[in-house]
Amino acid sequence: MSKIAFYAPIKPPDHAIPSGDRLIAQNLIKALTFGGHTVELASRFIAYSKRDADAILAERKAAAFAEVDAVVSRLSAAPPDVFVTYHPYCKAPDWIGPRVAAALSIPYVTVEAAKTGQGFEKGADRWRAWRMEAQAGIKTADRHIAFKPTDRAYLNSLGIEDTHIDALNPFIDLDALDKEVQATLTTNLSPQHWRADVPVLACVGMMRPGKKAKNYEILADALTPLQGLHWNLILIGDGPERGYIETLFQRFDPARIHVAGALTHAEVLAGLKAADLMVWPGWREPIGMVFLEAQTMGTPVAALDSMGVSLSVRHGETGLLATVETASSLSEQLHLLLSQPSLRNDLAAKTRTHIERNHSLEAAAHQLSASLQKLV
């Protein structure tokens, strides 16, 4: 088995602030370890920037080059077999991996090298200089591992052939989630005034401006025509747009809405497990780890068939996906799920098996090892 140097330029996997990117990085390390590989964190250097200023780009790049020297010095005594970088893209170019791999004469591999759709205004690309830096590093890789068809298409646009790209299903650590939810004392987040026989919809999402707020808008609009049906909704999440998002749901009877705010991850899992349905539109969602978590907890999903959602949720098997990315289309799927308890039960019965077979650490370990075996 291989000795792997691992790096995530957006943030290190042991960063204090939780996020989907951090969770995926952590799970990649777990899957590689599960497959028998030895994984060492090559660097904690953060290349990510929220702003595209040229001065920031120059500062980040210079600091990264200094970090390269330190990493090469540290790893050269017992070099790894391969250098793996997770999620290099325009806001977080990888200046370290390609140079360390070249200095140590080892293969360089990217996982989820991607192109962001942000920053395009009036035909201009504000992140062009950063994007060129990211692409320069991506093009040097000996192999690419992609979660999404859109990532494969992006790599193809850079002149990278399919023979150098391997697919990897989004995945999650089932055992860790089970232990986490079992350890929490919070098993029911529903207010006492909610009727026990009314379906509970759980929505989990950060309350940030932009894409996240847009998802809440879609959900509120989708539920508006369904006020004649029985349902209660718990909103799990917090952020700078919480006040605005709360106003979106003031159109509904307050007795059926509960804003839970920020919860621990264990409490989120408990809320998903207790719910009858997980509802998050997933508009422009690259992967959506919360969809995997909901299904692991045995809860079916209602969402849009947008970007990477269908990579995690199987329409008609573990949830229902609206083929048109509109609130009205999502509303139709929600109507079916709310009015047909037997359909919800059938979907719920298949969620856990679907995750175990296709999105577990074991499944990912096999795919990753098969890809790395071509190089090492």
Side-chain angles (χ1 to χ4, degrees), residues 104 128 173 179 211:
L104 299 178
R128 186 178 184 281
D173 186 348
K179 291 176 183 177
K211 184 173 69 175

Tab-separated table of all heavy atoms in Angstrom, residues 104 128 173 179 211:
chain	number	residue	atom	x	y	z
A	104	LEU	N	10.276	15.760	-5.339
A	104	LEU	CA	10.461	14.425	-4.769
A	104	LEU	C	10.324	13.316	-5.815
A	104	LEU	O	10.444	12.137	-5.483
A	104	LEU	CB	9.442	14.191	-3.646
A	104	LEU	CG	9.513	15.147	-2.449
A	104	LEU	CD1	8.416	14.824	-1.447
A	104	LEU	CD2	10.877	15.093	-1.780
A	128	ARG	N	-9.996	35.620	-13.013
A	128	ARG	CA	-9.229	35.039	-14.115
A	128	ARG	C	-7.774	34.770	-13.733
A	128	ARG	O	-7.231	33.696	-14.017
A	128	ARG	CB	-9.284	35.953	-15.343
A	128	ARG	CG	-8.616	35.320	-16.564
A	128	ARG	CD	-8.704	36.211	-17.804
A	128	ARG	NE	-8.144	35.525	-18.965
A	128	ARG	CZ	-6.843	35.420	-19.223
A	128	ARG	NH1	-5.967	35.978	-18.398
A	128	ARG	NH2	-6.412	34.773	-20.285
A	173	ASP	N	-18.823	8.624	6.209
A	173	ASP	CA	-18.435	7.651	7.240
A	173	ASP	C	-19.672	7.263	8.038
A	173	ASP	O	-20.072	7.954	8.977
A	173	ASP	CB	-17.365	8.263	8.147
A	173	ASP	CG	-16.812	7.271	9.162
A	173	ASP	OD1	-17.400	6.185	9.328
A	173	ASP	OD2	-15.787	7.580	9.784
A	179	LYS	N	-22.412	6.582	15.598
A	179	LYS	CA	-21.917	6.789	16.953
A	179	LYS	C	-22.243	8.198	17.447
A	179	LYS	O	-22.580	8.408	18.616
A	179	LYS	CB	-20.405	6.556	16.993
A	179	LYS	CG	-20.004	5.100	16.792
A	179	LYS	CD	-18.490	4.956	16.748
A	179	LYS	CE	-18.088	3.509	16.483
A	179	LYS	NZ	-16.608	3.355	16.365
A	211	LYS	N	-26.295	31.940	-2.661
A	211	LYS	CA	-26.885	30.648	-3.009
A	211	LYS	C	-27.696	30.043	-1.874
A	211	LYS	O	-28.778	29.488	-2.106
A	211	LYS	CB	-25.774	29.688	-3.438
A	211	LYS	CG	-26.265	28.332	-3.921
A	211	LYS	CD	-25.137	27.508	-4.495
A	211	LYS	CE	-24.169	27.069	-3.427
A	211	LYS	NZ	-23.121	26.164	-3.953
